[in-house]
Amino acid sequence: MSWTDKELGMDRSITRRDFMNGAAMAIAAAITPHSGLLAQAVPGPQDRPGYDPPAAHGLRGSHPGAFEVAHQLRDGTFWTHAGQPESTGESYDLVVVGGGISGLSSARFFHATAGKTARVLILENHDDFGGHAKRNEFQVDKTFMLGYGGTYSIESPAVYSPVAKGVVRDLGIDVASYPRHNNAQLYPSLGLKDKIFFDKETFGADRLVVSPSPRHGAKRWQEFAAQAPLSDKAKADLKRLLSCDEDLMPGLSSSQKKAKLARMSYADYLTKLVKVDPQVVAMLDPEPKPLYGVGIDAVSAQDAWGLDMPGFDGLKLAPGAGPGMGRDANRSEEAEKYFFHFPDGNSSIARLMVRSLVPEAVPGHSADDIVTSQIRYDQLDQPGKPTLIRLNSTVVRVRHDGDPATAKEVEITYVRQGRLYTVKAAHCILACWHPVIPYLTNELPKAQIAALRSAEKVPLVYTNVALKNWKSFVQLQTSGVSAPGCYFTEFGLDHRVSIGNYRCTTKPEEPIVLTMARYPCQPGLPARAQHRAGRANLYATSFETFERNIREQLARSMGAGGLDPAQDIAAITVNRWPHGYAYQYNSLWDPFWLEGGPLPCVEARKPFGRIAIANADADAYAYTDCAINQAYRAVNDLKVAAS
Ligand SMILES: Cc1cc2nc3c(=O)[nH]c(=O)nc-3n(C[C@H](O)[C@H](O)[C@H](O)COP(=O)(O)OP(=O)(O)OC[C@H]3O[C@@H](n4cnc5c(N)ncnc54)[C@H](O)[C@@H]3O)c2cc1C
């Protein structure tokens, strides 16, 4: 069955308001001659009344206006028409490039070392601070709702370091209190379970079926087997896989088995050793995508074992990672328990950090009231304050004033609203994405440039759909759906978290935010090439295409429960992240990780002169604690004298 635009509601008036139309689109414009005014004297978009990026819908994340200047730099076309920059006359103790968690942490650690009155400027190319830690707001009739536009929660497979835990504590977040805020029983009390949506193009029929998790026993399997549109052989193979107790590598020790598993993909393990039907491979393909951004063809079987994917029980592997196991696959019980999800994800962490740096901009006093605090963007970039956060500002060059070994200053050049400015600083921290850095400086050795470039960013999309109600989810008894063959490979209702004055909705007839995730990649290629292909795909995809896919997928998967996309969708925000996760090393593609050898991220993050390098990329690991740890290390690299 196919839907017409009208049936899907493509003509409906929903909130797709594109914030950028009136604000920072000017960034994308050609560089214009300077008026002679200093940058600080020229009010930026953030100083205008009503400036409120989280309330914008439409295409967000890497939004129009945020990336064009950087792409011109990449393509070598920027400087041909850039003209002469104008000095703003400003001079700082530190300029930070990038206003994500790592950039904000850098500013905090720098103040802790250099003193509260040290002067810090943060330059960020997006229209909001937080980097990946972004928030989406929705107003549906009288209901105010939050969603996470990127970073979802405090969580990490590895234990948070004492430094990162200290930051979380200093911000006032009581991680152990999470169960008090989260209504964990709501979905189970309504009988909602995880389900799989099999699509016609991949599996022959559109069907929503309960997940066949072995821990739910025989009844659940029977329910799954009765409904799933899989061949009898595929069902038999899946059953065999889920209870696999055969040793498929007889005669090898546990460590020899791990060594072999580290060198083969999970797809190959399933196909060549377990010998399952291709339908089973297709069904399991997206499992590692939320962590790695690629499917099972590009993730090792050893990682699949660490991630508890099926098929390994019979191997009787000794606990613990073998050489080359991915960091995500190496789970820790302590880390599992260290979890906290704000309704806007780790955007609340970014907002708390900004409150500590620029108190006037973020009213309130606690980690509870941060969720409903209304940011005063016009206070972020005020002269005379110890910390200034300048948004819509893409840094295009950083260079020492002379030989990096002896220079006393760094000059930082950036574009804001189509104009080119310079500021000076005693120190600079590059907390931006590593592949961008080689375009900003010509002061680095070749080996470091190569190392920075190897940090291939992982593309992904979190789409938030404001639904007028979620009765269809109750009707179809699900809160989370995996959709292996679909455009969005998973979608689900968020945890029901209420904090401070923020009350999440709990009744099925009330509005809710549904999150749909897409991990664009190109199976069959090495992981980095898959990410590059996915990134190109994301930049080439229009909002209209996203919207049509959202509507059609929901109609097909949830329509039987009464979800009518034409009636039920109130607003859509597509958070596209072509430069998403930090690349994590993978035994299939990174010999140094498997065999041992210098890690590119260690070479990449070396300081040069008065410039240090932070960001989660510096740890080759996409987690908030890494962004904080690397900021701490970068500030130490600067060797600033304590005041
Ligand atoms: C969709 C998504 C979900 C995630 N979920 C989680 C999660 O649940 N838990 C978790 O721990 N981690 C998660 N992460 C990982 C996340 O990347 C880290 O947790 C952390 O937020 C990274 O912070 P950062 O400051 O290192 O990088 P970023 O957040 O990427 O910040 C770097 C900033 O530098 C800016 N920048 C780049 N170039 C320039 C330039 N030339 N001039 C000015 N600014 C520039 C970028 O635009 C960006 O805003 C997620 C990431 C994504 C994309």
Side-chain angles (χ1 to χ4, degrees):
M1 180 172 179
S2 66
W3 275 261
T4 63
D5 277 5
K6 196 165 178 52
E7 284 165 332
L8 290 173
M10 289 293 285
D11 59 337
R12 293 295 168 120
S13 139
I14 59 160
T15 332
R16 306 179 181 91
R17 179 167 69 92
D18 188 349
F19 178 72
M20 297 312 300
N21 286 340
M25 271 310 274
I27 292 176
I31 304 295
T32 51
H34 199 273
S35 66
L37 286 171
L38 297 185
Q40 276 193 313
V42 182
Q46 69 198 64
D47 299 311
R48 293 185 197 141
Y51 186 91
D52 190 15
H57 302 135
L59 209 44
R60 301 291 301 156
S62 183
H63 56 73
F67 57 86
E68 292 82 352
V69 165
H71 285 186
Q72 287 168 14
L73 261 189
R74 176 201 63 192
D75 298 340
T77 57
F78 177 78
W79 289 107
T80 53
H81 65 272
Q84 279 302 311
E86 182 86 2
S87 167
T88 70
E90 295 165 284
S91 181
Y92 292 90
D93 296 306
L94 173 71
V95 167
V96 180
V97 180
I101 297 281
S102 205
L104 297 169
S105 302
S106 298
R108 284 170 50 92
F109 290 130
F110 187 83
H111 278 301
T113 305
K116 283 194 172 131
T117 54
R119 299 203 61 237
V120 177
L121 172 68
I122 300 174
L123 294 166
E124 165 60 44
N125 62 313
H126 287 94
D127 59 14
D128 203 357
F129 57 80
H132 295 148
K134 286 276 162 45
R135 137 190 185 120
N136 294 163
E137 297 177 356
F138 297 95
Q139 186 73 45
V140 179
D141 300 326
K142 290 186 178 156
T143 308
F144 174 72
M145 295 186 295
L146 290 171
Y148 52 98
T151 311
Y152 159 71
S153 58
I154 295 177
E155 60 168 344
S156 181
V159 174
Y160 265 48
S161 69
V163 167
K165 276 186 180 155
V167 168
V168 170
R169 201 176 41 243
D170 288 351
L171 292 173
I173 302 168
D174 177 11
V175 174
S177 74
Y178 180 63
R180 284 211 305 276
H181 304 292
N182 180 27
N183 185 347
Q185 283 315 307
L186 182 66
Y187 297 145
S189 73
L190 294 168
L192 310 193
K193 310 174 186 81
D194 290 342
K195 296 217 167 177
I196 303 180
F197 177 66
F198 292 99
D199 65 294
K200 188 163 173 250
E201 294 83 345
T202 318
F203 298 99
D206 279 358
R207 198 94 35 93
L208 187 68
V209 179
V210 71
S211 295
S213 157
R215 69 193 157 89
H216 288 111
K219 196 159 165 271
R220 181 91 167 234
W221 170 261
Q222 281 156 10
E223 199 184 332
F224 168 81
Q227 296 170 5
L230 299 176
S231 67
D232 287 347
K233 175 171 179 309
K235 283 179 195 167
D237 283 356
L238 181 60
K239 192 169 188 193
R240 181 166 56 84
L241 175 72
L242 292 176
S243 56
C244 189
D245 54 5
E246 192 186 342
D247 186 351
L248 299 166
M249 295 178 165
L252 297 184
S253 68
S254 172
S255 48
Q256 286 168 328
K257 288 174 183 171
K258 287 182 190 173
K260 283 191 90 160
L261 294 172
R263 289 164 173 83
M264 74 170 79
S265 72
Y266 184 46
D268 277 351
Y269 179 77
L270 292 177
T271 309
K272 295 177 182 162
L273 269 81
V274 194
K275 296 192 170 59
V276 296
D277 190 273
Q279 282 194 318
V280 176
V281 179
M283 184 180 143
L284 294 177
D285 178 61
E287 291 281 311
K289 284 187 177 176
L291 298 172
Y292 296 74
V294 283
I296 59 174
D297 65 297
V299 171
S300 79
Q302 183 181 219
D303 283 19
W305 166 68
L307 291 167
D308 219 14
M309 291 183 204
F312 298 100
D313 287 358
L315 297 183
K316 303 273 182 277
L317 297 171
M325 187 185 257
R327 287 166 79 182
D328 268 341
N330 197 359
R331 318 298 289 188
S332 133
E333 209 178 311
E334 183 190 335
E336 298 272 321
K337 290 185 188 146
Y338 195 75
F339 180 91
F340 198 102
H341 173 67
F342 284 97
D344 60 357
N346 286 6
S347 169
S348 277
I349 297 186
R351 289 155 65 92
L352 285 165
M353 286 182 170
V354 172
R355 179 185 277 168
S356 71
L357 293 165
V358 194
E360 302 78 10
V362 189
H365 307 281
S366 72
D368 282 2
D369 66 28
I370 196 68
V371 177
T372 46
S373 181
Q374 182 65 44
I375 305 291
R376 297 189 57 191
Y377 284 91
D378 62 347
Q379 294 300 306
L380 288 175
D381 187 10
Q382 288 298 323
K385 294 282 160 50
T387 306
L388 284 66
I389 302 177
R390 195 163 295 163
L391 303 170
N392 305 301
S393 302
T394 304
V395 172
V396 290
R397 186 170 65 203
V398 291
R399 67 178 176 197
H400 288 89
D401 185 12
D403 181 352
T406 52
K408 296 275 179 282
E409 264 185 337
V410 182
E411 180 194 73
I412 298 99
T413 308
Y414 66 95
V415 177
R416 190 189 199 200
Q417 291 202 280
R419 291 183 177 169
L420 200 55
Y421 300 102
T422 60
V423 294
K424 300 264 182 172
H427 306 277
C428 177
I429 290 183
L430 301 174
C432 53
W433 304 322
H434 281 199
V436 173
I437 294 174
Y439 298 107
L440 306 183
T441 171
N442 59 11
E443 296 176 352
L444 290 173
K446 277 190 182 147
Q448 191 168 2
I449 291 172
L452 287 160
R453 290 211 162 117
S454 77
E456 195 69 63
K457 302 297 283 181
V458 178
L460 64 160
V461 183
Y462 280 3
T463 290
N464 281 324
V465 181
L467 293 174
K468 291 181 187 163
N469 65 75
W470 46 291
K471 290 185 282 190
S472 55
F473 284 80
V474 177
Q475 180 68 27
L476 295 176
Q477 300 274 280
T478 187
S479 56
V481 176
S482 147
C486 292
Y487 193 77
F488 294 96
T489 47
E490 54 183 2
F491 60 89
L493 307 175
D494 196 11
H495 302 285
R496 300 291 77 204
V497 176
S498 296
I499 298 187
N501 289 332
Y502 181 78
R503 290 277 153 264
C504 72
T505 57
T506 52
K507 298 196 178 99
E509 53 280 7
E510 293 174 339
I512 203 164
V513 176
L514 173 73
T515 304
M516 306 179 77
R518 171 170 168 75
Y519 307 94
C521 54
Q522 195 163 319
L525 299 178
R528 285 185 179 80
Q530 294 210 32
H531 299 323
R532 280 194 293 277
R535 179 155 52 252
N537 169 283
L538 273 194
Y539 276 123
T541 305
S542 66
F543 179 79
E544 192 188 4
T545 300
F546 280 114
E547 180 175 357
R548 169 167 262 291
N549 281 308
I550 292 160
R551 289 177 180 278
E552 187 175 318
Q553 190 169 334
L554 290 179
R556 287 171 61 176
S557 55
M558 301 301 294
L563 195 154
D564 176 356
Q567 296 291 339
D568 295 339
I569 293 177
I572 295 173
T573 302
V574 175
N575 302 280
R576 83 177 162 180
W577 296 109
H579 302 268
Y581 295 159
Y583 178 86
Q584 70 166 303
Y585 300 135
N586 176 327
S587 61
L588 293 183
W589 313 110
D590 301 305
F592 55 82
W593 186 245
L594 179 61
E595 318 281 357
L599 300 181
C601 65
V602 175
E603 176 69 29
R605 68 193 185 209
K606 283 182 181 163
F608 56 112
R610 295 178 159 268
I611 302 176
I613 296 179
N615 194 282
D617 286 348
D619 212 353
Y621 207 33
Y623 289 90
T624 294
D625 54 328
C626 301
I628 296 170
N629 294 338
Q630 293 304 322
Y632 184 76
R633 194 252 327 130
V635 170
N636 282 333
D637 280 353
L638 291 177
K639 299 189 176 53
V640 178
S643 72

